[in-house]
Amino acid sequence: MMRRDCTITESREISGGIYLMSFEAGDIAREAAPGSFVHIKCGEGCLLRRPISIADAKGDGMTIVFEARGAGTRELARRRPGATADVLGPLGRGFGSVGGGTIAVGGGMGVPPLLFAARRAAPGSVTALLGFRDAGRVILEREFRERCRDVHIMTEDGSEGGRGTVEAPLREYMERGGISLIISCGPRPMLAAVARIAAQYGTPCRVSLEERMACGVGACLGCACETTDGDGRREMRRVCRDGPVFDSREVTW
Ligand SMILES: Cc1cc2nc3c(=O)[nH]c(=O)nc-3n(C[C@H](O)[C@H](O)[C@H](O)COP(=O)(O)OP(=O)(O)OC[C@H]3O[C@@H](n4cnc5c(N)ncnc54)[C@H](O)[C@@H]3O)c2cc1C
Ligand code: FES
Protein backbone atom coordinates (compact mmCIF):
# COMPACT_ATOMS: atom_id res chain seq x y z
CA MET A 1 0.00 0.00 0.00
CA MET A 2 1.32 3.42 -0.97
CA ARG A 3 0.31 7.07 -0.77
CA ARG A 4 0.98 9.14 -3.82
CA ASP A 5 -0.06 12.39 -5.49
CA CYS A 6 -1.38 11.00 -8.74
CA THR A 7 -1.77 13.18 -11.84
CA ILE A 8 -5.19 13.00 -13.48
CA THR A 9 -4.77 12.10 -17.16
CA GLU A 10 -8.42 11.86 -18.19
CA SER A 11 -11.76 12.87 -16.71
CA ARG A 12 -15.12 12.62 -18.42
CA GLU A 13 -18.76 12.21 -17.57
CA ILE A 14 -19.82 8.87 -19.08
CA SER A 15 -23.44 9.12 -17.97
CA GLY A 16 -25.48 11.58 -15.88
CA GLY A 17 -23.36 12.29 -12.79
CA ILE A 18 -21.08 9.28 -13.36
CA TYR A 19 -17.42 9.97 -14.11
CA LEU A 20 -14.49 8.00 -15.51
CA MET A 21 -11.18 9.29 -14.23
CA SER A 22 -7.71 8.01 -15.10
CA PHE A 23 -4.48 8.67 -13.26
CA GLU A 24 -0.77 8.29 -13.63
CA ALA A 25 -0.53 6.16 -10.47
CA GLY A 26 2.88 4.43 -10.61
CA ASP A 27 3.22 1.52 -8.17
CA ILE A 28 -0.41 1.84 -7.06
CA ALA A 29 -1.47 0.91 -10.59
CA ARG A 30 1.16 -1.80 -10.96
CA GLU A 31 0.08 -3.54 -7.74
CA ALA A 32 -3.67 -3.15 -8.28
CA ALA A 33 -5.74 -6.32 -8.47
CA PRO A 34 -9.41 -6.68 -9.42
CA GLY A 35 -11.58 -5.98 -6.37
CA SER A 36 -8.97 -3.80 -4.67
CA PHE A 37 -9.72 -0.13 -4.13
CA VAL A 38 -8.10 3.24 -3.61
CA HIS A 39 -8.81 5.72 -0.82
CA ILE A 40 -8.84 9.25 -2.22
CA LYS A 41 -8.58 12.57 -0.41
CA CYS A 42 -11.37 14.73 -1.76
CA GLY A 43 -10.80 18.40 -1.01
CA GLU A 44 -10.00 20.32 2.13
CA GLY A 45 -13.55 20.17 3.50
CA CYS A 46 -13.57 16.37 3.55
CA LEU A 47 -11.62 14.98 6.47
CA LEU A 48 -12.11 11.35 5.49
CA ARG A 49 -10.85 9.85 2.27
CA ARG A 50 -13.41 8.25 -0.07
CA PRO A 51 -13.06 4.58 -1.12
CA ILE A 52 -13.43 3.87 -4.86
CA SER A 53 -12.85 0.55 -6.65
CA ILE A 54 -10.15 0.28 -9.27
CA ALA A 55 -11.86 -0.21 -12.65
CA ASP A 56 -8.69 -0.84 -14.64
CA ALA A 57 -4.91 -0.69 -14.29
CA LYS A 58 -2.30 -1.08 -16.96
CA GLY A 59 1.37 -0.14 -16.51
CA ASP A 60 1.38 3.14 -14.52
CA GLY A 61 -2.18 3.98 -15.53
CA MET A 62 -5.21 3.45 -13.32
CA THR A 63 -8.89 4.18 -13.96
CA ILE A 64 -11.81 4.61 -11.58
CA VAL A 65 -15.51 5.09 -12.34
CA PHE A 66 -17.57 6.86 -9.72
CA GLU A 67 -20.85 8.58 -9.12
CA ALA A 68 -20.74 12.17 -7.84
CA ARG A 69 -23.03 11.73 -4.83
CA GLY A 70 -21.97 13.98 -1.98
CA ALA A 71 -19.40 16.67 -1.21
CA GLY A 72 -16.34 14.43 -1.66
CA THR A 73 -17.06 12.77 -4.98
CA ARG A 74 -18.55 16.00 -6.40
CA GLU A 75 -15.30 17.82 -5.62
CA LEU A 76 -13.27 15.01 -7.21
CA ALA A 77 -15.43 15.14 -10.34
CA ARG A 78 -14.60 18.85 -10.80
CA ARG A 79 -10.85 18.19 -11.07
CA ARG A 80 -9.45 18.42 -14.58
CA PRO A 81 -6.60 16.54 -16.31
CA GLY A 82 -3.25 17.86 -15.11
CA ALA A 83 -4.47 18.30 -11.52
CA THR A 84 -3.44 15.78 -8.88
CA ALA A 85 -5.23 13.65 -6.30
CA ASP A 86 -3.84 12.29 -3.03
CA VAL A 87 -4.38 8.53 -3.41
CA LEU A 88 -3.77 5.70 -0.93
CA GLY A 89 -3.75 2.18 -2.36
CA PRO A 90 -4.17 -0.37 -3.61
CA LEU A 91 -6.19 -1.50 -0.57
CA GLY A 92 -8.12 -4.62 0.37
CA ARG A 93 -8.38 -8.19 -0.82
CA GLY A 94 -9.80 -8.64 -4.27
CA PHE A 95 -11.62 -11.33 -6.22
CA GLY A 96 -8.59 -13.59 -6.64
CA SER A 97 -8.03 -15.53 -9.83
CA VAL A 98 -10.88 -15.51 -12.31
CA GLY A 99 -11.03 -17.84 -15.30
CA GLY A 100 -13.38 -19.65 -17.65
CA GLY A 101 -16.77 -20.55 -16.19
CA THR A 102 -16.97 -17.30 -14.21
CA ILE A 103 -20.08 -15.16 -14.22
CA ALA A 104 -19.69 -11.55 -13.02
CA VAL A 105 -22.93 -10.25 -11.56
CA GLY A 106 -22.99 -6.49 -11.07
CA GLY A 107 -25.50 -3.89 -10.01
CA GLY A 108 -25.27 -0.13 -10.68
CA MET A 109 -22.04 1.41 -9.38
CA GLY A 110 -20.86 -2.11 -8.46
CA VAL A 111 -19.93 -2.95 -12.03
CA PRO A 112 -16.52 -1.15 -12.37
CA PRO A 113 -14.44 -3.67 -10.34
CA LEU A 114 -16.05 -6.53 -12.31
CA LEU A 115 -14.82 -4.94 -15.54
CA PHE A 116 -11.30 -4.98 -14.11
CA ALA A 117 -11.73 -8.70 -13.27
CA ALA A 118 -12.97 -9.42 -16.82
CA ARG A 119 -10.05 -7.48 -18.30
CA ARG A 120 -7.53 -9.50 -16.28
CA ALA A 121 -9.12 -12.83 -17.28
CA ALA A 122 -8.54 -14.47 -20.68
CA PRO A 123 -10.60 -12.71 -23.38
CA GLY A 124 -14.05 -14.24 -23.71
CA SER A 125 -13.79 -16.35 -20.56
CA VAL A 126 -16.12 -14.31 -18.32
CA THR A 127 -19.88 -13.89 -18.70
CA ALA A 128 -21.29 -10.55 -17.47
CA LEU A 129 -24.77 -10.13 -16.03
CA LEU A 130 -25.35 -6.47 -15.22
CA GLY A 131 -28.37 -4.79 -13.63
CA PHE A 132 -29.26 -1.08 -13.65
CA ARG A 133 -32.19 1.11 -12.70
CA ASP A 134 -32.91 2.24 -16.28
CA ALA A 135 -31.25 2.72 -19.68
CA GLY A 136 -29.80 6.09 -18.65
CA ARG A 137 -27.83 4.42 -15.83
CA VAL A 138 -26.25 1.68 -17.97
CA ILE A 139 -22.47 2.14 -17.87
CA LEU A 140 -19.42 0.40 -19.39
CA GLU A 141 -21.52 -1.90 -21.60
CA ARG A 142 -19.21 -1.51 -24.62
CA GLU A 143 -16.13 -2.20 -22.46
CA PHE A 144 -17.71 -5.40 -21.07
CA ARG A 145 -18.68 -6.51 -24.60
CA GLU A 146 -15.05 -6.10 -25.70
CA ARG A 147 -13.89 -8.55 -23.05
CA CYS A 148 -16.73 -10.94 -22.26
CA ARG A 149 -18.20 -14.01 -23.93
CA ASP A 150 -21.73 -12.94 -23.22
CA VAL A 151 -23.10 -9.70 -21.74
CA HIS A 152 -26.63 -9.73 -20.37
CA ILE A 153 -28.15 -6.37 -19.38
CA MET A 154 -31.18 -6.00 -17.11
CA THR A 155 -32.98 -2.78 -16.18
CA GLU A 156 -35.64 -2.43 -13.51
CA ASP A 157 -38.02 -0.70 -15.94
CA GLY A 158 -37.08 -2.72 -19.04
CA SER A 159 -35.83 0.40 -20.89
CA GLU A 160 -32.74 -1.57 -21.98
CA GLY A 161 -32.11 -5.33 -22.04
CA GLY A 162 -34.40 -7.53 -19.97
CA ARG A 163 -36.89 -6.14 -17.46
CA GLY A 164 -36.34 -6.85 -13.76
CA THR A 165 -33.42 -7.78 -11.57
CA VAL A 166 -30.43 -10.05 -12.26
CA GLU A 167 -31.99 -12.91 -10.25
CA ALA A 168 -34.06 -14.66 -12.96
CA PRO A 169 -31.30 -14.61 -15.63
CA LEU A 170 -28.74 -15.76 -13.03
CA ARG A 171 -30.94 -18.79 -12.27
CA GLU A 172 -31.16 -19.48 -16.02
CA TYR A 173 -27.37 -19.40 -16.37
CA MET A 174 -27.05 -21.73 -13.37
CA GLU A 175 -29.64 -24.14 -14.82
CA ARG A 176 -27.80 -24.21 -18.13
CA GLY A 177 -24.62 -25.28 -16.29
CA GLY A 178 -20.96 -24.53 -16.94
CA ILE A 179 -20.70 -21.84 -14.22
CA SER A 180 -17.95 -22.66 -11.72
CA LEU A 181 -17.56 -19.27 -9.98
CA ILE A 182 -19.76 -16.24 -9.31
CA ILE A 183 -18.19 -12.86 -8.55
CA SER A 184 -20.49 -10.03 -7.58
CA CYS A 185 -20.56 -6.37 -6.58
CA GLY A 186 -23.53 -4.08 -6.12
CA PRO A 187 -26.29 -3.19 -3.66
CA ARG A 188 -26.51 -5.46 -0.62
CA PRO A 189 -30.00 -6.88 -1.39
CA MET A 190 -28.68 -7.96 -4.81
CA LEU A 191 -25.60 -9.55 -3.21
CA ALA A 192 -27.81 -11.41 -0.73
CA ALA A 193 -29.95 -12.78 -3.58
CA VAL A 194 -26.84 -13.80 -5.55
CA ALA A 195 -25.43 -15.53 -2.44
CA ARG A 196 -28.71 -17.46 -1.99
CA ILE A 197 -28.66 -18.66 -5.59
CA ALA A 198 -24.97 -19.64 -5.31
CA ALA A 199 -25.76 -21.67 -2.17
CA GLN A 200 -28.67 -23.44 -3.90
CA TYR A 201 -26.43 -24.55 -6.75
CA GLY A 202 -23.38 -25.20 -4.54
CA THR A 203 -21.31 -22.77 -6.63
CA PRO A 204 -18.44 -20.77 -5.08
CA CYS A 205 -19.32 -17.09 -4.87
CA ARG A 206 -17.20 -14.06 -3.97
CA VAL A 207 -18.97 -10.82 -3.11
CA SER A 208 -17.56 -7.33 -2.71
CA LEU A 209 -19.13 -5.51 0.26
CA GLU A 210 -19.47 -1.77 0.79
CA GLU A 211 -19.30 -0.07 4.16
CA ARG A 212 -18.62 3.53 5.04
CA MET A 213 -14.91 3.79 5.76
CA ALA A 214 -12.66 6.00 7.82
CA CYS A 215 -9.00 4.88 7.86
CA GLY A 216 -9.31 2.30 5.04
CA VAL A 217 -6.33 0.33 6.35
CA GLY A 218 -7.72 -1.77 9.20
CA ALA A 219 -6.91 0.54 12.11
CA CYS A 220 -10.22 2.08 13.22
CA LEU A 221 -12.81 -0.75 12.96
CA GLY A 222 -15.17 1.80 11.38
CA CYS A 223 -16.04 -0.62 8.57
CA ALA A 224 -16.60 -3.78 10.66
CA CYS A 225 -19.24 -6.25 9.46
CA GLU A 226 -20.43 -9.54 10.91
CA THR A 227 -19.22 -12.76 9.33
CA THR A 228 -19.54 -16.45 10.18
CA ASP A 229 -16.63 -18.88 10.06
CA GLY A 230 -16.81 -22.50 8.86
CA ASP A 231 -17.83 -23.68 12.37
CA GLY A 232 -20.71 -21.20 12.60
CA ARG A 233 -18.83 -18.86 14.94
CA ARG A 234 -19.67 -15.20 14.43
CA GLU A 235 -16.94 -12.61 14.19
CA MET A 236 -16.51 -9.01 13.16
CA ARG A 237 -14.27 -8.47 10.14
CA ARG A 238 -12.99 -5.26 8.58
CA VAL A 239 -14.31 -4.66 5.08
CA CYS A 240 -11.30 -2.48 4.21
CA ARG A 241 -8.63 -4.97 5.18
CA ASP A 242 -10.21 -8.44 5.42
CA GLY A 243 -12.34 -7.61 2.35
CA PRO A 244 -13.93 -5.90 0.55
CA VAL A 245 -14.29 -9.27 -1.22
CA PHE A 246 -15.56 -12.15 0.94
CA ASP A 247 -16.71 -15.70 0.30
CA SER A 248 -20.50 -15.28 0.23
CA ARG A 249 -20.90 -18.13 2.77
CA GLU A 250 -18.94 -16.10 5.34
CA VAL A 251 -21.23 -13.07 5.26
CA THR A 252 -24.07 -12.78 7.77
CA TRP A 253 -26.87 -11.74 5.44
C1 LIG B 1 -14.68 -0.69 -1.13
C2 LIG B 1 -15.58 0.36 -1.74
C3 LIG B 1 -15.53 0.57 -3.11
C4 LIG B 1 -16.34 1.55 -3.69
N1 LIG B 1 -16.27 1.72 -5.05
C5 LIG B 1 -17.02 2.67 -5.63
C6 LIG B 1 -16.93 2.88 -7.05
O1 LIG B 1 -16.18 2.20 -7.77
N2 LIG B 1 -17.70 3.86 -7.59
C7 LIG B 1 -18.57 4.61 -6.81
O2 LIG B 1 -19.26 5.48 -7.36
N3 LIG B 1 -18.67 4.44 -5.48
C8 LIG B 1 -17.92 3.49 -4.87
N4 LIG B 1 -18.01 3.33 -3.51
C9 LIG B 1 -18.92 4.20 -2.74
C10 LIG B 1 -18.23 5.55 -2.48
O3 LIG B 1 -17.15 5.34 -1.59
C11 LIG B 1 -19.20 6.56 -1.87
O4 LIG B 1 -20.21 6.86 -2.80
C12 LIG B 1 -18.47 7.83 -1.49
O5 LIG B 1 -17.60 7.58 -0.41
C13 LIG B 1 -19.44 8.91 -1.12
O6 LIG B 1 -18.68 10.05 -0.77
P1 LIG B 1 -19.26 11.51 -0.97
O7 LIG B 1 -18.37 12.48 -0.34
O8 LIG B 1 -19.60 11.74 -2.40
O9 LIG B 1 -20.65 11.41 -0.26
P2 LIG B 1 -21.05 11.67 1.24
O10 LIG B 1 -21.45 13.10 1.35
O11 LIG B 1 -20.05 11.11 2.18
O12 LIG B 1 -22.34 10.75 1.20
C14 LIG B 1 -23.31 10.86 0.13
C15 LIG B 1 -24.16 9.61 0.12
O13 LIG B 1 -23.33 8.46 -0.13
C16 LIG B 1 -23.50 7.50 0.93
N5 LIG B 1 -22.19 6.85 1.17
C17 LIG B 1 -21.11 7.43 1.72
N6 LIG B 1 -20.09 6.55 1.81
C18 LIG B 1 -20.54 5.39 1.32
C19 LIG B 1 -19.97 4.10 1.14
N7 LIG B 1 -18.73 3.81 1.53
N8 LIG B 1 -20.73 3.17 0.58
C20 LIG B 1 -21.99 3.43 0.20
N9 LIG B 1 -22.58 4.62 0.33
C21 LIG B 1 -21.87 5.59 0.89
C22 LIG B 1 -23.96 8.30 2.10
O14 LIG B 1 -24.69 7.50 3.01
C23 LIG B 1 -24.84 9.35 1.45
O15 LIG B 1 -26.12 8.86 1.17
C24 LIG B 1 -17.22 2.34 -2.89
C25 LIG B 1 -17.27 2.13 -1.52
C26 LIG B 1 -16.47 1.14 -0.95
C27 LIG B 1 -16.53 0.91 0.52
S1 FES C 1 -12.07 1.83 7.71
FE1 FES C 1 -10.83 1.74 9.50
S2 FES C 1 -10.75 -0.40 9.92
FE2 FES C 1 -11.78 -0.29 8.01
Side-chain angles (χ1 to χ4, degrees):
M1 181 251 298
M2 289 142 282
R3 196 209 62 77
R4 193 184 152 110
D5 288 320
C6 297
T7 303
I8 298 167
T9 53
E10 181 185 11
S11 174
R12 60 191 163 90
E13 194 172 8
I14 58 170
S15 181
I18 301 174
Y19 295 81
L20 180 148
M21 189 173 269
S22 299
F23 303 86
E24 174 77 37
D27 290 348
I28 297 178
R30 280 193 291 275
E31 292 186 16
S36 62
F37 67 97
V38 284
H39 216 23
I40 306 181
K41 192 145 178 33
C42 296
E44 293 308 314
C46 296
L47 204 58
L48 299 176
R49 292 170 179 269
R50 300 298 195 261
I52 304 286
S53 301
I54 299 170
D56 198 15
K58 213 180 288 159
D60 284 350
M62 175 184 79
T63 298
I64 59 172
V65 175
F66 64 95
E67 181 176 12
R69 299 180 70 175
T73 46
R74 279 208 295 263
E75 191 278 335
L76 187 63
R78 281 195 293 272
R79 295 192 206 177
R80 308 304 343 140
T84 60
D86 176 342
V87 180
L88 191 66
L91 300 173
R93 288 161 31 147
F95 290 109
S97 65
V98 167
T102 298
I103 187 164
V105 185
M109 291 314 301
V111 310
L114 300 176
L115 178 63
F116 190 15
R119 281 177 162 157
R120 283 282 164 99
S125 60
V126 172
T127 296
L129 170 55
L130 311 173
F132 302 93
R133 206 180 313 142
D134 54 47
R137 306 284 297 176
V138 175
I139 53 166
L140 303 173
E141 181 181 353
R142 182 177 50 81
E143 289 82 351
F144 274 99
R145 291 200 186 281
E146 280 166 10
R147 291 304 296 187
C148 295
R149 184 157 50 118
D150 185 13
V151 179
H152 192 117
I153 304 283
M154 296 294 291
T155 50
E156 285 170 28
D157 63 357
S159 50
E160 186 176 335
R163 183 197 189 97
T165 71
V166 295
E167 272 184 67
L170 178 58
R171 282 185 195 284
E172 283 168 27
Y173 277 112
M174 301 310 288
E175 284 296 326
R176 250 180 269 156
I179 303 292
S180 52
L181 175 67
I182 302 172
I183 59 172
S184 192
C185 185
R188 198 163 169 111
M190 185 203 83
L191 295 181
V194 169
R196 263 196 316 274
I197 294 170
Q200 277 166 20
Y201 288 87
T203 304
C205 177
R206 302 177 196 148
V207 294
S208 182
L209 300 184
E210 259 195 26
E211 285 292 336
R212 297 209 69 158
M213 289 183 181
C215 72
V217 295
C220 72
L221 299 181
C223 64
C225 75
E226 193 180 279
T227 60
T228 313
D229 71 13
D231 299 321
R233 273 190 303 266
R234 297 196 162 186
E235 58 176 342
M236 298 305 285
R237 313 263 298 279
R238 297 157 300 184
V239 171
C240 66
R241 189 154 185 163
D242 304 318
V245 179
F246 293 89
D247 184 319
S248 63
R249 290 168 305 184
E250 294 173 349
V251 180
T252 310
W253 298 102

